[in-house]
Amino acid sequence: MTTMQESPTAADSGANASEAFKAAASTRDVADTPPQRVAAIVTSVLRGVHDAIAEHDVTYPEFQAAKAWLMAVGDGGEWPLFMDVFVEHAVEEQVASSQQGTKGTILGPYYLPDQVKLGSTCQLPRRDDEQGPPLVLSGQVRDIDGSPLGGAEVDLWHADSDGYYSGFAPHVPNGNLRGVVVTDAEGRFEINTIQPAPYQIPTDGPTGEMIEAAGWHPWRPAHLHIQVRAEGHRPITTQLYFARGDWLDSDVAEATKPELVIDPQDDGSGVRRSNYDFELQPQSEA
Ligand code: DHB
Ligand code: FE
């Protein structure tokens, strides 16, 4: 029996993020890395660990505490959270160096495939009493040569006004604040939603413990996750952030970029509006 709870625990978020990651494995590209490359990468990673041990004169109690912590991250299913907060941005920067068009950033652990398809002018699924400032994001999807991409998919997911994601927090209904918006013939879209709150890494699990032990903070600035896909084009995985928002300059996941900050303006009716266009690179030029 589970009890009603207001907010998810780290174990809930972690276990759900682990399940989502495993479920996506069947559709993920196989890395197919040759042995020489595996050896080279693992050697470098281990050298980094060995160097840190020498540099900081690490003791046996510290080594054993590190082992206990690594086991706790696994037991709590927090590896997807940890990897996406502390490591993914470096991979994304590496991959982005060969991509033209709109800037990308990290996917994070809370993407879920196969969400409801919506028309080009739409409202993301939300609860009747969904809190948060009304937000309208409009824009156009284009090729990098400027031609509009009709029928492109703008796959949007974001946290609620308490910073929780549907599918990863038991009190939020499945599919809430998630949807795949299909652009019109001119590549345009207009999406009604609410402005999310900043997101806090669950503080009650091992990742939160490490952040606290290091004297860091667990926050990501408020953000919208967006993946834009169009046939024959390289998809873009990105996020949009809000001008002057808390934690914008100290994102724990180091995933903000100045090009990805929007500044929605109140249209006089309490609705905040912003325009953002996406430009995709043809697959053949990838
Ligand atoms: C994490 C959560 C996010 O919402 C995000 O965008 C990136 C990382 C995390 O908890 O790991
Ligand atoms: Fe996120």
Side-chain angles (χ1 to χ4, degrees), residues 218-239:
W219 290 96
R220 297 211 62 220
H223 56 278
L224 305 172
H225 288 273
I226 300 164
Q227 195 172 70
V228 186
R229 303 181 288 262
E231 222 184 295
H233 291 76
R234 210 169 145 178
I236 287 175
T237 299
T238 194
Q239 299 181 24

mmCIF file of all heavy atoms in Angstrom, residues 218-239:
data_model
loop_
_atom_site.group_PDB
_atom_site.id
_atom_site.type_symbol
_atom_site.label_atom_id
_atom_site.label_comp_id
_atom_site.label_asym_id
_atom_site.label_seq_id
_atom_site.Cartn_x
_atom_site.Cartn_y
_atom_site.Cartn_z
ATOM 1 N N PRO A 218 21.070 22.825 -5.108
ATOM 2 C CA PRO A 218 20.498 21.794 -5.978
ATOM 3 C C PRO A 218 19.585 22.318 -7.091
ATOM 4 O O PRO A 218 18.786 21.556 -7.624
ATOM 5 C CB PRO A 218 19.676 20.962 -4.991
ATOM 6 C CG PRO A 218 19.191 21.960 -3.991
ATOM 7 C CD PRO A 218 20.237 23.047 -3.897
ATOM 8 N N TRP A 219 19.703 23.597 -7.476
ATOM 9 C CA TRP A 219 18.676 24.187 -8.342
ATOM 10 C C TRP A 219 19.056 24.263 -9.804
ATOM 11 O O TRP A 219 20.200 24.540 -10.155
ATOM 12 C CB TRP A 219 18.347 25.599 -7.862
ATOM 13 C CG TRP A 219 17.627 25.598 -6.560
ATOM 14 C CD1 TRP A 219 18.194 25.762 -5.322
ATOM 15 C CD2 TRP A 219 16.227 25.408 -6.350
ATOM 16 N NE1 TRP A 219 17.224 25.678 -4.358
ATOM 17 C CE2 TRP A 219 16.009 25.471 -4.951
ATOM 18 C CE3 TRP A 219 15.141 25.192 -7.203
ATOM 19 C CZ2 TRP A 219 14.734 25.327 -4.402
ATOM 20 C CZ3 TRP A 219 13.887 25.050 -6.655
ATOM 21 C CH2 TRP A 219 13.695 25.121 -5.265
ATOM 22 N N ARG A 220 18.036 24.068 -10.650
ATOM 23 C CA ARG A 220 18.095 24.435 -12.062
ATOM 24 C C ARG A 220 17.138 25.608 -12.246
ATOM 25 O O ARG A 220 16.066 25.626 -11.643
ATOM 26 C CB ARG A 220 17.611 23.290 -12.968
ATOM 27 C CG ARG A 220 18.465 22.020 -12.898
ATOM 28 C CD ARG A 220 18.437 21.320 -14.248
ATOM 29 N NE ARG A 220 19.022 22.224 -15.223
ATOM 30 C CZ ARG A 220 18.587 22.402 -16.461
ATOM 31 N NH1 ARG A 220 17.559 21.724 -16.914
ATOM 32 N NH2 ARG A 220 19.173 23.260 -17.267
ATOM 33 N N PRO A 221 17.461 26.582 -13.108
ATOM 34 C CA PRO A 221 16.504 27.660 -13.375
ATOM 35 C C PRO A 221 15.260 27.091 -14.062
ATOM 36 O O PRO A 221 15.324 26.018 -14.674
ATOM 37 C CB PRO A 221 17.267 28.580 -14.325
ATOM 38 C CG PRO A 221 18.303 27.723 -14.960
ATOM 39 C CD PRO A 221 18.673 26.678 -13.939
ATOM 40 N N ALA A 222 14.122 27.797 -13.966
ATOM 41 C CA ALA A 222 12.903 27.373 -14.661
ATOM 42 C C ALA A 222 13.207 27.189 -16.147
ATOM 43 O O ALA A 222 13.937 27.989 -16.736
ATOM 44 C CB ALA A 222 11.814 28.429 -14.467
ATOM 45 N N HIS A 223 12.654 26.139 -16.728
ATOM 46 C CA HIS A 223 12.950 25.874 -18.140
ATOM 47 C C HIS A 223 11.847 25.078 -18.811
ATOM 48 O O HIS A 223 11.119 24.330 -18.163
ATOM 49 C CB HIS A 223 14.287 25.127 -18.277
ATOM 50 C CG HIS A 223 14.346 23.848 -17.486
ATOM 51 N ND1 HIS A 223 14.643 23.830 -16.139
ATOM 52 C CD2 HIS A 223 14.128 22.553 -17.835
ATOM 53 C CE1 HIS A 223 14.613 22.583 -15.696
ATOM 54 N NE2 HIS A 223 14.292 21.785 -16.701
ATOM 55 N N LEU A 224 11.741 25.267 -20.125
ATOM 56 C CA LEU A 224 10.879 24.441 -20.977
ATOM 57 C C LEU A 224 11.800 23.499 -21.740
ATOM 58 O O LEU A 224 12.791 23.953 -22.317
ATOM 59 C CB LEU A 224 10.128 25.314 -22.004
ATOM 60 C CG LEU A 224 9.288 26.469 -21.468
ATOM 61 C CD1 LEU A 224 8.788 27.318 -22.647
ATOM 62 C CD2 LEU A 224 8.106 25.941 -20.657
ATOM 63 N N HIS A 225 11.479 22.202 -21.750
ATOM 64 C CA HIS A 225 12.236 21.252 -22.579
ATOM 65 C C HIS A 225 11.565 21.154 -23.936
ATOM 66 O O HIS A 225 10.339 21.015 -24.014
ATOM 67 C CB HIS A 225 12.214 19.855 -21.963
ATOM 68 C CG HIS A 225 13.041 19.703 -20.748
ATOM 69 N ND1 HIS A 225 14.381 19.378 -20.790
ATOM 70 C CD2 HIS A 225 12.738 19.815 -19.437
ATOM 71 C CE1 HIS A 225 14.852 19.284 -19.565
ATOM 72 N NE2 HIS A 225 13.878 19.551 -18.717
ATOM 73 N N ILE A 226 12.354 21.193 -24.995
ATOM 74 C CA ILE A 226 11.789 21.117 -26.340
ATOM 75 C C ILE A 226 12.676 20.249 -27.226
ATOM 76 O O ILE A 226 13.905 20.395 -27.214
ATOM 77 C CB ILE A 226 11.672 22.526 -26.968
ATOM 78 C CG1 ILE A 226 10.770 23.402 -26.098
ATOM 79 C CG2 ILE A 226 11.110 22.449 -28.384
ATOM 80 C CD1 ILE A 226 10.872 24.863 -26.391
ATOM 81 N N GLN A 227 12.032 19.332 -27.947
ATOM 82 C CA GLN A 227 12.742 18.613 -29.000
ATOM 83 C C GLN A 227 12.000 18.914 -30.294
ATOM 84 O O GLN A 227 10.782 18.740 -30.359
ATOM 85 C CB GLN A 227 12.754 17.114 -28.709
ATOM 86 C CG GLN A 227 13.755 16.353 -29.556
ATOM 87 C CD GLN A 227 13.874 14.904 -29.111
ATOM 88 O OE1 GLN A 227 12.954 14.121 -29.307
ATOM 89 N NE2 GLN A 227 14.995 14.553 -28.502
ATOM 90 N N VAL A 228 12.718 19.388 -31.300
ATOM 91 C CA VAL A 228 12.098 19.730 -32.578
ATOM 92 C C VAL A 228 12.569 18.724 -33.622
ATOM 93 O O VAL A 228 13.775 18.516 -33.790
ATOM 94 C CB VAL A 228 12.451 21.168 -33.014
ATOM 95 C CG1 VAL A 228 11.663 21.542 -34.267
ATOM 96 C CG2 VAL A 228 12.157 22.157 -31.901
ATOM 97 N N ARG A 229 11.581 18.101 -34.295
ATOM 98 C CA ARG A 229 11.903 17.077 -35.282
ATOM 99 C C ARG A 229 11.202 17.399 -36.601
ATOM 100 O O ARG A 229 10.046 17.823 -36.590
ATOM 101 C CB ARG A 229 11.410 15.696 -34.800
ATOM 102 C CG ARG A 229 11.965 15.285 -33.440
ATOM 103 C CD ARG A 229 11.452 13.906 -33.023
ATOM 104 N NE ARG A 229 10.049 13.917 -32.641
ATOM 105 C CZ ARG A 229 9.617 13.972 -31.379
ATOM 106 N NH1 ARG A 229 10.484 14.000 -30.378
ATOM 107 N NH2 ARG A 229 8.340 13.989 -31.114
ATOM 108 N N ALA A 230 11.891 17.226 -37.709
ATOM 109 C CA ALA A 230 11.262 17.381 -39.026
ATOM 110 C C ALA A 230 11.939 16.400 -39.956
ATOM 111 O O ALA A 230 13.163 16.181 -39.858
ATOM 112 C CB ALA A 230 11.433 18.805 -39.541
ATOM 113 N N GLU A 231 11.135 15.821 -40.848
ATOM 114 C CA GLU A 231 11.663 14.799 -41.743
ATOM 115 C C GLU A 231 12.866 15.325 -42.522
ATOM 116 O O GLU A 231 12.846 16.468 -43.009
ATOM 117 C CB GLU A 231 10.560 14.388 -42.728
ATOM 118 C CG GLU A 231 10.514 12.893 -42.941
ATOM 119 C CD GLU A 231 9.476 12.530 -43.987
ATOM 120 O OE1 GLU A 231 8.288 12.772 -43.705
ATOM 121 O OE2 GLU A 231 9.873 12.054 -45.060
ATOM 122 N N GLY A 232 13.887 14.522 -42.644
ATOM 123 C CA GLY A 232 15.061 14.900 -43.426
ATOM 124 C C GLY A 232 15.971 15.887 -42.725
ATOM 125 O O GLY A 232 16.899 16.425 -43.327
ATOM 126 N N HIS A 233 15.693 16.169 -41.449
ATOM 127 C CA HIS A 233 16.493 17.134 -40.702
ATOM 128 C C HIS A 233 17.021 16.538 -39.404
ATOM 129 O O HIS A 233 16.425 15.622 -38.845
ATOM 130 C CB HIS A 233 15.669 18.392 -40.403
ATOM 131 C CG HIS A 233 15.374 19.185 -41.632
ATOM 132 N ND1 HIS A 233 14.417 18.787 -42.547
ATOM 133 C CD2 HIS A 233 15.927 20.316 -42.122
ATOM 134 C CE1 HIS A 233 14.397 19.657 -43.550
ATOM 135 N NE2 HIS A 233 15.309 20.598 -43.317
ATOM 136 N N ARG A 234 18.134 17.094 -38.970
ATOM 137 C CA ARG A 234 18.723 16.644 -37.710
ATOM 138 C C ARG A 234 17.883 17.209 -36.565
ATOM 139 O O ARG A 234 17.679 18.420 -36.501
ATOM 140 C CB ARG A 234 20.149 17.216 -37.660
ATOM 141 C CG ARG A 234 21.140 16.384 -36.908
ATOM 142 C CD ARG A 234 22.545 16.908 -37.169
ATOM 143 N NE ARG A 234 23.335 16.761 -35.959
ATOM 144 C CZ ARG A 234 24.608 17.075 -35.852
ATOM 145 N NH1 ARG A 234 25.260 17.587 -36.892
ATOM 146 N NH2 ARG A 234 25.252 16.897 -34.727
ATOM 147 N N PRO A 235 17.355 16.371 -35.680
ATOM 148 C CA PRO A 235 16.525 16.896 -34.593
ATOM 149 C C PRO A 235 17.335 17.758 -33.633
ATOM 150 O O PRO A 235 18.559 17.583 -33.518
ATOM 151 C CB PRO A 235 16.011 15.647 -33.879
ATOM 152 C CG PRO A 235 16.771 14.494 -34.412
ATOM 153 C CD PRO A 235 17.526 14.906 -35.625
ATOM 154 N N ILE A 236 16.647 18.679 -32.976
ATOM 155 C CA ILE A 236 17.299 19.521 -31.973
ATOM 156 C C ILE A 236 16.662 19.246 -30.626
ATOM 157 O O ILE A 236 15.438 19.246 -30.495
ATOM 158 C CB ILE A 236 17.128 21.012 -32.322
ATOM 159 C CG1 ILE A 236 18.015 21.373 -33.503
ATOM 160 C CG2 ILE A 236 17.476 21.893 -31.126
ATOM 161 C CD1 ILE A 236 17.813 22.782 -33.972
ATOM 162 N N THR A 237 17.488 19.005 -29.637
ATOM 163 C CA THR A 237 17.028 18.867 -28.255
ATOM 164 C C THR A 237 17.508 20.096 -27.520
ATOM 165 O O THR A 237 18.714 20.374 -27.492
ATOM 166 C CB THR A 237 17.629 17.604 -27.607
ATOM 167 O OG1 THR A 237 17.198 16.465 -28.338
ATOM 168 C CG2 THR A 237 17.190 17.480 -26.154
ATOM 169 N N THR A 238 16.561 20.861 -26.965
ATOM 170 C CA THR A 238 16.995 22.095 -26.332
ATOM 171 C C THR A 238 16.115 22.448 -25.135
ATOM 172 O O THR A 238 15.247 21.674 -24.729
ATOM 173 C CB THR A 238 17.069 23.231 -27.384
ATOM 174 O OG1 THR A 238 17.792 24.324 -26.833
ATOM 175 C CG2 THR A 238 15.698 23.675 -27.862
ATOM 176 N N GLN A 239 16.360 23.588 -24.551
ATOM 177 C CA GLN A 239 15.546 24.109 -23.445
ATOM 178 C C GLN A 239 15.477 25.618 -23.610
ATOM 179 O O GLN A 239 16.396 26.225 -24.137
ATOM 180 C CB GLN A 239 16.197 23.802 -22.084
ATOM 181 C CG GLN A 239 16.371 22.329 -21.789
ATOM 182 C CD GLN A 239 16.987 22.062 -20.429
ATOM 183 O OE1 GLN A 239 16.902 22.877 -19.516
ATOM 184 N NE2 GLN A 239 17.604 20.908 -20.286
#
